[in-house]
Amino acid sequence: MTTISFLDAISQALREEMQRDERVFLLGEDIGAFGGAFKVTRGFLEEFGQWRVMDMPIAESGFVGMGCAAAIEGQIPVVEFQFADFIACAFDQIINFAAKVHYRWGMPCPIVFRAPCGGGVRGGPYHSESPEAWFTNVPGLKIVYPSTPYDALGLLKSAIRDPNPVIFFEHKRLYRKIRQEIPDGEILVPLGSADIKRPGHDLTIITYGAMVHDAIEAAETLGQQGYECEVLDLRSLCPLDEQSIYQSIARTHRALVVHEAHLTGGFGGELAARIAAEAFDQLDAPIARVGAADVPIPYSPPLEDAVLPNADKIVAAALRTLEY
């Protein structure tokens, strides 16, 4: 058993897959000599060489296009965006090429897009986005968003082995904050499998990414008031483990959806719609949602705290649902 950080888990997954399969290579800004903006790829250039750890200019659309071309030629590129916000610069390549190439030509496109995302680190409006909902509307993409080192390690390895394009969201706030004991041996977590991070019977809190930890904190607070809340970590948004959602609601009869992305148009709305369609008879209260306010993420710490969801806001929403 070894205790590693969330960041260590990402680095370990990349190293293990590069050692396992010489077709795996990395593209991104400052990932080589500098070791990455967050030091995920520190030492990779020396270990794997410049043709497998390739520094790119500040031209996301260009190097994503390079990666897509390499993928359809049989290579397995892992593209790093320094910040998920700038994935917008490569939107056309991801949406109109990577997501559609298999449908159009029957060709696999095994490419992974690593997207460090999320607020709470005082990064301001250009370095704090949670843009997962932009991509859940696009058939052909897989969307992964882990919350723990174990899941990050196992899901990234599975993403690299998947023949489809995968967007792998990594919340920056978790990189050095979350540590976990990991068993020895290879770890693989299948895409599309949710995980109960805390069992309960009074309310299901459905969430993913960094909000899993806020939800657990909120559930512990609610436990002191006599409520036992289940925290369901989706881990993958596409494919989505709907059965785990409905099974949890069948136990608790109440649902609260939590995500850090802006509330309007966020993935929580899709979750609420599916729950209403498939599990309405199990509900004893309206489906509740918690998300960020519909404004750009501020740089000011007090304003950012006011905009983003947190454990206190989850507790307040949970109590409204529990007392309905």
Side-chain angles (χ1 to χ4, degrees):
M1 302 287 282
T2 307
T3 299
I4 63 173
S5 69
F6 193 91
L7 186 147
D8 293 334
I10 301 294
S11 184
Q12 181 176 327
L14 292 173
R15 177 173 278 108
E16 288 181 2
E17 290 305 294
M18 292 180 76
Q19 292 171 342
R20 183 188 66 86
D21 190 336
E22 65 179 10
R23 296 176 301 162
V24 179
F25 72 101
L26 312 182
L27 293 164
E29 297 158 354
D30 294 327
I31 64 170
F34 191 64
F38 300 98
K39 303 304 179 185
V40 169
T41 53
R42 178 184 289 167
F44 277 54
L45 181 62
E46 292 77 12
E47 181 174 354
F48 298 104
Q50 64 179 345
W51 296 111
R52 296 186 68 195
V53 184
M54 302 179 69
D55 277 322
M56 293 287 109
I58 303 175
E60 286 82 1
S61 183
F63 64 75
V64 167
M66 263 182 66
C68 290
I72 65 172
E73 286 295 321
Q75 301 303 302
I76 305 175
V78 180
V79 176
E80 177 185 318
F81 295 97
Q82 277 197 352
F83 295 90
D85 311 57
F86 304 120
I87 202 170
C89 300
F91 205 73
D92 182 53
Q93 295 285 0
I94 295 171
I95 303 305
N96 284 322
F97 186 83
K100 297 176 181 176
V101 66
H102 183 266
Y103 180 82
R104 179 137 188 205
W105 296 332
M107 299 177 67
C109 188
I111 185 169
V112 177
F113 304 105
R114 290 184 45 236
C117 62
V121 295
R122 314 317 187 195
Y126 298 104
H127 300 85
S128 305
E129 191 66 70
S130 295
E132 65 273 10
W134 296 352
F135 301 100
T136 56
N137 188 240
V138 182
L141 297 177
K142 294 188 175 183
I143 313 298
V144 180
Y145 205 149
S147 69
T148 66
Y150 182 94
D151 289 343
L153 173 58
L155 287 166
L156 183 53
K157 287 170 66 68
S158 293
I160 292 171
R161 299 184 190 190
D162 197 288
N164 301 282
V166 180
I167 303 180
F168 194 88
F169 287 100
E170 308 162 12
H171 201 292
K172 303 185 295 293
R173 184 157 57 94
L174 301 181
Y175 274 152
R176 293 175 174 84
K177 179 180 179 182
I178 302 299
R179 302 183 67 83
Q180 186 179 20
E181 198 171 58
I182 301 295
D184 297 329
E186 183 167 69
I187 294 170
L188 289 170
V189 177
L191 307 188
S193 61
D195 185 46
I196 296 172
K197 290 296 193 283
R198 185 187 191 278
H201 52 75
D202 292 318
L203 167 71
T204 299
I205 304 175
I206 304 162
T207 187
Y208 50 88
M211 285 294 106
V212 169
H213 302 281
D214 291 77
I216 293 172
E217 181 183 343
E220 296 297 329
T221 299
L222 291 161
Q224 298 171 10
Q225 302 180 42
Y227 297 111
E228 291 301 324
C229 298
E230 186 153 292
V231 177
L232 182 65
D233 180 0
L234 295 180
R235 301 198 291 194
S236 293
L237 308 187
C238 299
L240 177 65
D241 186 357
E242 292 188 64
Q243 289 308 307
S244 289
I245 296 172
Y246 305 146
Q247 289 167 3
S248 180
I249 292 171
R251 291 190 293 271
T252 68
H253 304 290
R254 287 174 169 81
L256 170 61
V257 179
V258 178
H259 55 61
E260 188 176 307
H262 302 295
L263 190 65
T264 300
F267 191 63
E270 178 64 27
L271 293 171
R274 295 194 188 196
I275 293 166
E278 301 295 335
F280 183 79
D281 290 344
Q282 297 289 344
L283 293 171
D284 289 340
I287 304 161
R289 290 188 297 155
V290 173
D294 294 332
V295 298
I297 306 302
Y299 180 77
S300 161
L303 290 178
E304 185 180 32
D305 291 342
V307 165
L308 295 178
N310 56 34
D312 290 341
K313 295 175 185 178
I314 296 171
V315 168
L319 286 173
R320 289 193 295 270
T321 305
L322 288 161
E323 296 169 358
Y324 177 81

